[in-house]
């Protein structure tokens, strides 16, 4: 077994225009001061990393890595959540998702998609240059407007959509294979890959691609009323990344899973800072350790109530307290009687 690495922090929710959140160097110093050992980097803000440059220049990648290492941290993974979202967009969401793309591509879905696909490929190459082994993204969604079948979905539309997803993602996954990087889909509402069944459907369509793996985030499963512990039993061989994020689901007589169009504060299902929600992290860390998860435990802070800096400070200690330092021997070794093959055969009477 392997001791899970961490604590680490995904800095996307903390980036801003004021120090220490406005440069890679200062945000790394801030994170290290809280006790973090790693940072997960978003790739849509060139103040923190120029993705194309990191893909094309090992020297530049080494410079980025050096800035992080100088603070006593490691880069855990790169994130292409926003770019991955643009690989597959149902037309109903075109205007809403345009903000994820460079301004000159807005209003041009075809060119926006080409840009997003190239971004994913750059992330594979940049990850290799940085010495990483995994990266996280979203799948995008063609079917999400039809997640609830009313009006009834046209016959065959699900198969058509997943066929198209596979057509778009397979060449990207092949680039990740060429670079030795696992591409981990964050299973998330709003994406066509939003639970175990949809991931299995996608995996079938990409012919079980070796690099089509998973980021595990239990918070999204609490809000779906999905068994997030059995999920680890089912998919542990594909789980290569881990977001440590808490959530709670408190249905009432007035609202449930769909939330009644309320804001995050007033929803039955809410993301919470670590320790403030309902996720059983002791069991999660135990299961991941049992299955020899070899990656990082990365805080993703999202909470409608608590200040982010308090969530980050508390989260570092929370993760540290939950990481299980694996044992190097069996607990009952003290009672071992010792044996060899002859002894074993005699004991069995054979």
């Amino acid at each position: 077994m392997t001791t899970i690495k961490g604590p680490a922090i995904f800095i996307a929710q903390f980036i801003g225009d004021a120090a220490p959140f406005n440069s890679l160097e200062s945000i790394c110093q801030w994170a290290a001061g809280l006790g973090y050992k790693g940072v997960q980097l978003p790739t849509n803000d060139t103040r923190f990393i120029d993705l194309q440059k990191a893909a094309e220049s090992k020297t530049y990648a080494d410079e980025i890595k050096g800035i992080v290492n100088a603070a006593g941290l490691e880069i855990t993974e790169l994130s292409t959540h926003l770019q991955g979202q643009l690989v597959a967009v149902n037309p109903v969401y075109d205007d809403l998702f345009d903000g994820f793309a460079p301004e000159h591509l807005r209003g041009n879905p075809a060119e926006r998609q080409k840009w997003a696909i190239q971004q994913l490929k750059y992330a594979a190459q940049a990850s290799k240059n940085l010495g990483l082994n995994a990266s996280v993204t979203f799948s995008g969604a063609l079917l999400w407007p039809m997640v609830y079948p009313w009006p009834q979905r046209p016959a065959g539309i699900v198969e058509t959509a997943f066929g198209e997803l596979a057509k778009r993602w397979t060449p990207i996954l092949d680039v990740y294979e060429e670079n030795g990087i696992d591409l981990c889909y964050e299973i998330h509402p709003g994406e066509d890959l939003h639970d175990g069944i949809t991931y299995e459907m996608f995996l079938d369509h990409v012919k079980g691609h070796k690099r089509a793996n998973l980021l595990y985030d239990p918070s999204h499963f609490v809000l779906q009323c999905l068994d997030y512990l059995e999920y680890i039993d089912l998919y542990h061989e594909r789980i290569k990344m881990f977001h440590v994020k808490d959530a709670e689901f408190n249905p009432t007589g007035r609202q449930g899973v769909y939330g009644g169009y309320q804001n995050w504060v007033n929803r039955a299902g809410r993301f919470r800072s670590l320790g403030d929600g309902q996720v059983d992290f002791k069991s999660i860390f135990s299961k991941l350790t049992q299955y020899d998860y070899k990656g990082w435990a990365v805080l993703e802070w999202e909470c409608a109530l608590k200040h982010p800096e308090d969530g980050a400070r508390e989260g570092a200690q929370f993760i540290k307290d939950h990481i299980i330092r694996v044992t190097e021997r069996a607990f009952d070794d003290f009672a071992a009687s010792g044996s060899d093959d002859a002894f074993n055969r005699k004991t069995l009477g054979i």
Side-chain angles (χ1 to χ4, degrees):
M1 295 184 296
T2 306
T3 298
I4 295 172
K5 293 182 285 188
I9 185 170
F10 184 31
I11 63 170
Q13 284 86 358
F14 297 93
I15 288 174
D17 294 326
F21 307 110
N22 58 349
S23 76
L24 181 60
E25 180 179 11
S26 60
I27 205 169
C28 285
Q29 292 171 349
W30 167 78
L34 296 177
Y36 288 101
K37 304 298 183 185
V39 287
Q40 187 177 96
L41 299 183
T43 57
N44 59 310
D45 190 326
T46 55
R47 291 178 299 171
F48 295 85
I49 185 171
D50 183 319
L51 185 57
Q52 180 175 352
K53 196 171 179 180
E56 296 175 346
S57 170
K58 181 68 164 61
T59 299
Y60 173 76
D62 287 342
E63 291 172 359
I64 293 294
K65 188 175 180 180
I67 292 171
V68 176
N69 292 165
L73 304 176
E74 296 181 49
I75 300 172
T76 65
E77 303 95 3
L78 300 180
S79 152
T80 54
H81 284 89
L82 302 190
Q83 299 98 316
Q85 184 79 64
L86 299 181
V87 171
V89 177
N90 185 288
V92 73
Y93 293 127
D94 267 336
D95 290 342
L96 293 172
F97 283 140
D98 251 354
F100 290 1
E103 193 168 348
H104 70 279
L105 295 175
R106 296 172 188 175
N108 191 336
E111 291 302 311
R112 185 186 63 194
Q113 180 186 325
K114 290 180 183 177
W115 171 84
I117 289 171
Q118 183 59 64
Q119 286 279 296
L120 266 293
K121 293 177 179 179
Y122 283 149
Q125 296 156 348
S127 294
K128 180 180 180 180
N129 283 342
L130 290 164
L132 307 177
N133 55 30
S135 183
V136 57
T137 197
F138 280 149
S139 68
L142 300 172
L143 283 170
W144 186 252
M146 291 166 253
V147 67
Y148 193 89
W150 180 257
Q152 185 58 261
R153 289 185 289 258
I157 196 168
V158 173
E159 185 70 20
T160 298
F162 274 86
E164 180 63 23
L165 272 184
K167 179 182 176 182
R168 297 184 189 188
W169 278 106
T170 297
I172 299 171
L173 288 165
D174 288 344
V175 173
Y176 279 77
E177 170 64 13
E178 291 166 8
N179 286 277
I181 307 296
D182 289 318
L183 184 57
C184 301
Y185 294 95
E186 180 166 357
I187 305 304
H188 191 289
E191 311 303 317
D192 280 341
L193 276 59
H194 58 269
D195 59 13
I197 291 291
T198 51
Y199 172 66
E200 290 177 17
M201 292 165 64
F202 178 73
L203 204 57
D204 285 344
H205 279 81
V206 296
K207 298 179 171 56
H209 202 292
K210 175 183 176 181
R211 298 299 176 178
N213 289 300
L214 294 167
L215 176 144
Y216 176 72
D217 182 338
S219 68
H220 301 300
F221 301 149
V222 169
L223 271 55
Q224 294 185 63
C225 302
L226 183 152
D227 187 334
Y228 56 83
L229 295 178
E230 185 185 18
Y231 183 98
I232 299 174
D233 294 326
L234 293 169
Y235 304 114
H236 60 90
E237 292 181 354
R238 290 279 184 169
I239 294 172
K240 308 294 184 179
M241 293 178 61
F242 175 25
H243 271 176
V244 190
K245 189 169 78 171
D246 212 341
E248 62 184 357
F249 182 63
N250 299 303
T252 69
R254 303 178 72 193
Q255 64 159 298
V257 170
Y258 301 112
Y261 296 118
Q262 298 304 294
N263 61 31
W264 280 110
V265 171
N266 296 317
R267 291 178 67 88
R270 308 188 294 190
F271 300 125
R272 299 299 308 275
S273 284
L274 289 184
D276 294 344
Q278 299 169 347
V279 175
D280 180 1
F281 283 106
K282 286 188 176 180
S283 294
I284 287 172
F285 275 84
S286 293
K287 278 187 177 289
L288 289 174
T289 301
Q290 170 191 342
Y291 288 122
D292 200 25
Y293 169 71
K294 296 185 183 301
W296 288 84
V298 180
L299 168 75
E300 183 184 25
W301 175 87
E302 290 182 357
C303 185
L305 302 177
K306 183 169 286 185
H307 194 282
E309 292 182 46
D310 293 337
R313 185 187 66 253
E314 296 170 4
Q317 189 63 46
F318 186 94
I319 294 173
K320 182 178 178 181
D321 289 343
H322 280 78
I323 290 175
I324 298 169
R325 183 159 67 106
V326 300
T327 181
E328 297 172 351
R329 60 185 179 86
F331 66 88
D332 54 357
D333 277 355
F334 76 95
S337 59
S339 67
D340 55 27
D341 186 60
F343 180 87
N344 289 342
R345 295 178 69 82
K346 178 181 178 183
T347 301
L348 292 171
I350 57 177

